[in-house]
Amino acid sequence: MDFAAARFNMVENQIRTNRIDEPRLLQALAAVPRESFLPPALRGHAYADADLPLGDGRVMIAPLVMAQLVQAAAIGHNDVVLAIGDATGWALAVLSRLASTVVALERDPARATAMAARLAEREVDNVAVIQGDFAAGYPAQAPYDAILLFGAVAELPSSLPDQLAEQGRLVAIVAPRPGAGAGTRLTRAGTAIGQERPFDAGTAYLPGLQPRPVFHL
């Protein structure tokens, strides 16, 4: 498979045509080989416009949804970013080209180790992979200019807005029930938190952040 051609087509036909127009993001998506962050059996599907199942309910997020999240976060050269739930390291590699520092939070120790190794192989040196609970964030390195969740949540964890810097942005797909996802952006201004919904999207829930089971009598 010609992965370079597939990557070009992804950017031109999936991403750019869906109102993703931030030049630095488009350049990063064109430069990072998505296939190299997948197991060999899935590499032929690397540029499909869909979530790719990785097992245990985890997915590699679809390219367009990832791009929508990142564009909504408006990441600057000097920003410090907290990235939650990227299961492979691909989104982290893209973010590494946009931000000054990326703190990556992964709850599964084996996945965290594997992601750190993939990033090291690509000589990505401004991403730190931390093992921890998604809902808790990582307050030790706060405040963050941007916080992104690379998976759906039934509701935004209450601890995350407190970890934003002034004018910091938190972007996630909030889906109170399956099939009802909206890209949601919170922005801190002093003690106030503004909220917008700049796009609709769906993806798999992050573990521990799914809707709570409803019991009927």
Side-chain angles (χ1 to χ4, degrees), residues 17-88:
T17 57
N18 281 284
R19 295 184 292 180
I20 304 299
D21 54 11
E22 204 289 304
R24 295 173 60 238
L25 173 56
L26 293 170
Q27 291 167 7
L29 289 167
V32 177
R34 184 172 155 92
E35 72 278 0
S36 68
F37 293 88
L38 283 167
L42 288 175
R43 288 176 186 168
H45 304 282
Y47 296 98
D49 186 20
D51 288 344
L52 297 179
L54 302 170
D56 299 324
R58 303 296 297 278
V59 302
M60 177 186 250
I61 195 167
L64 175 59
V65 178
M66 181 272 196
Q68 290 173 313
L69 289 165
V70 175
Q71 179 163 275
I75 295 167
H77 292 279
N78 298 319
D79 282 357
V80 177
V81 176
L82 175 64
I84 299 174
D86 175 27
T88 65

Side-chain angles (χ1 to χ4, degrees), residues 84 107 134-135 149 152-157 160 175 205-211:
I84 299 174
R107 71 181 234 161
F134 291 149
L149 290 89
V153 299
E155 60 184 28
L156 288 169
L160 296 183
Y205 286 99
L206 289 174
L209 298 175
Q210 306 97 324

